[in-house]
Amino acid sequence: MSASAIFVLDLKGKVLICRNYKGDVDMAEIDHFMSLLMQHEEEGLICPVMAHGNVHFMWIKHSNLYLVATTNKNSNASLVYSFLYKLVEVFTEYFKELEEESIQDNFVVVYELLDELMDFGFPQTTDSKILQEYITQEGAKLEVAKTKVPTTVTNAVSWRSEGIKYKKNEVFIDVIESINVLVNANGSVMSSDIVGSIKLKTMLSGMPELRLGLNDRVLFALTGWSGDKGKTVVMEDVKFHQCVRLSRFESDRTISFIPPDGESELMSYRINTHVKPLIWIESVIEKFSHSRVEIMVKAKGQFKKQSVANNVEVRVPVPSDADSPKFKTSTGHAKYVPEKNLVVWTIKSFPGGKEFLMRAHFGLPSVENDEAEGKPPITVKFEIPYFTVSGIQVRYMKIIEKSGYQALPWVRYITQSGDYQLRTNV
């Protein structure tokens, strides 16, 4: 089961727009939502699912809005939340910014979208590209001839329109990997994994069939490939766009699909492996009571010398009562961000194998701060182009279209920081 009704509320709990899909929950039940939420906030027990009698509220907050689904059945909560986040995505595609004003300014379009996105409590057409073919922001100017529902809504291939034409047929493939690392104060890696995604920008005419080949260890085992196993990867938690033929992937690991036009995420995956931190941080933070804090941070690139990390940011926490900052860096520049109690050291270009140093000096007030402060970690942001830490590779991309045109596939690899934390002693 899914949602009975969907509501969009402002921060005071006033209903801006709503759509009743099943009629089995009294629409006045939403009046209890805000009081329940405030009660949970006061108790410090904010919960994504709240109940009033037999009615359950499932909600998310976005900007200055609450999006709330009501149900009185044992609903599939993950489906409802996926739908609420999809609502945010579709509204943002339409209005660029999703906030109270954009709902009020586009009331008719929002109601039409709520009508098309869900039917009798079940998600229907949720692809914004397809929705934009027949729900436009110029709804009042629509000619009668144009109000016919596009065939994509009823097609087997609901994510791609027919008759698409390009002068130059190309497909761009981005393999993007984010590294999550947690290092303790003694320098040991506590946890690490890689979260990856393959994104496409498709500029192909007609209805092409694409086949993507990766250096997937399971595929090589199935086909009896006897090469170097070190050059293969084991992907977990693989999630595909709806265009991928799952039965084909499950039988022979072929990623076969008719792609959506334009930009889309083809798949995401996780690789559970021990990752050596690509940028290693050593820090010495000395706190002298009632006088000063001395910080020394050394950053070392632990990746190939031919690679370069771009837009590196090392964020070092400092006491909330620190003042009078002084910095010295061997490269890049450091600045104090008092509202976040951070020193941000920025290095535009960080070659592999290099080491850089940053020193900071802060004054401390003579009166001790009574509030006990936690020990927030040092965090690092970076991006390394032309490189994947897992070693995943696109081995081939075959493009088959009945007209037989030639098309060019382009592949780009990017590694970036995800949740990248290094704990400190102080």
Side-chain angles (χ1 to χ4, degrees), residues 235-304:
M235 297 184 292
E236 298 176 45
D237 299 339
V238 179
K239 192 171 87 177
F240 288 111
H241 187 279
Q242 62 176 348
C243 67
V244 175
R245 295 185 177 91
L246 293 180
S247 55
R248 182 85 190 267
F249 179 76
E250 282 160 10
S251 65
D252 62 10
R253 303 292 280 193
T254 300
I255 301 170
S256 168
F257 58 100
I258 294 170
D261 187 43
E263 293 180 8
S264 61
E265 182 175 276
L266 178 69
M267 64 180 284
S268 62
Y269 59 88
R270 186 174 61 82
I271 297 174
N272 201 1
T273 182
H274 181 81
V275 182
K276 183 175 80 172
L278 295 179
I279 294 180
W280 184 255
I281 301 290
E282 286 176 28
S283 64
V284 179
I285 301 172
E286 291 183 289
K287 199 170 177 181
F288 301 91
S289 268
H290 311 305
S291 63
R292 68 190 192 280
V293 178
E294 301 278 355
I295 298 169
M296 190 278 289
V297 176
K298 186 164 74 173
K300 183 180 180 183
Q302 296 193 133
F303 48 92
K304 293 174 188 171

Side-chain angles (χ1 to χ4, degrees), residues 19-37:
R19 177 71 171 84
N20 189 356
Y21 293 104
K22 296 169 77 175
D24 60 350
V25 172
D26 185 352
M27 296 296 275
E29 285 287 337
I30 196 66
D31 297 342
H32 302 290
F33 170 75
M34 212 62 202
S35 54
L36 276 171
L37 183 63

Side-chain angles (χ1 to χ4, degrees), residues 14 63 73 85 101 110 115 122 133 140 158 174 205 238 240 276-277 329 359 364 366 384 388 401 404:
K14 180 188 165 192
S63 184
K73 299 283 197 304
Y85 283 109
E101 200 176 321
V110 171
D115 238 9
F122 292 94
E133 286 187 25
S158 63
D174 278 352
S205 305
V238 179
F240 288 111
K276 183 175 80 172
T329 60
R359 290 181 186 276
L364 283 178
S366 54
I384 307 172
T388 58
E401 215 279 329

Side-chain angles (χ1 to χ4, degrees), residues 178-190:
S178 298
I179 305 176
N180 300 323
V181 175
L182 176 60
V183 179
N184 71 9
N186 302 324
S188 305
V189 177
M190 304 279 289

Side-chain angles (χ1 to χ4, degrees), residues 194-253:
I194 300 162
V195 177
S197 69
I198 296 179
K199 296 187 175 179
L200 299 180
K201 186 176 181 183
T202 311
M203 298 158 75
L204 298 171
S205 305
M207 278 281 181
E209 167 94 23
L210 272 59
R211 283 180 205 150
L212 178 70
L214 304 170
N215 56 334
D216 173 8
R217 192 170 301 175
V218 180
L219 166 66
F220 289 163
L222 280 172
T223 54
W225 189 75
S226 55
D228 178 8
K229 287 283 188 286
K231 289 185 178 170
T232 61
V233 294
V234 179
M235 297 184 292
E236 298 176 45
D237 299 339
V238 179
K239 192 171 87 177
F240 288 111
H241 187 279
Q242 62 176 348
C243 67
V244 175
R245 295 185 177 91
L246 293 180
S247 55
R248 182 85 190 267
F249 179 76
E250 282 160 10
S251 65
D252 62 10
R253 303 292 280 193

Side-chain angles (χ1 to χ4, degrees), residues 76-105:
N76 180 340
S78 59
L79 174 67
V80 175
Y81 278 105
S82 295
F83 180 76
L84 290 176
Y85 283 109
K86 193 71 189 178
L87 263 186
V88 171
E89 191 184 308
V90 170
F91 289 162
T92 307
E93 289 266 335
Y94 265 81
F95 315 128
K96 302 295 177 258
E97 295 287 333
L98 174 57
E99 49 195 30
E100 187 181 334
E101 200 176 321
S102 50
I103 296 289
Q104 290 169 338
D105 291 349

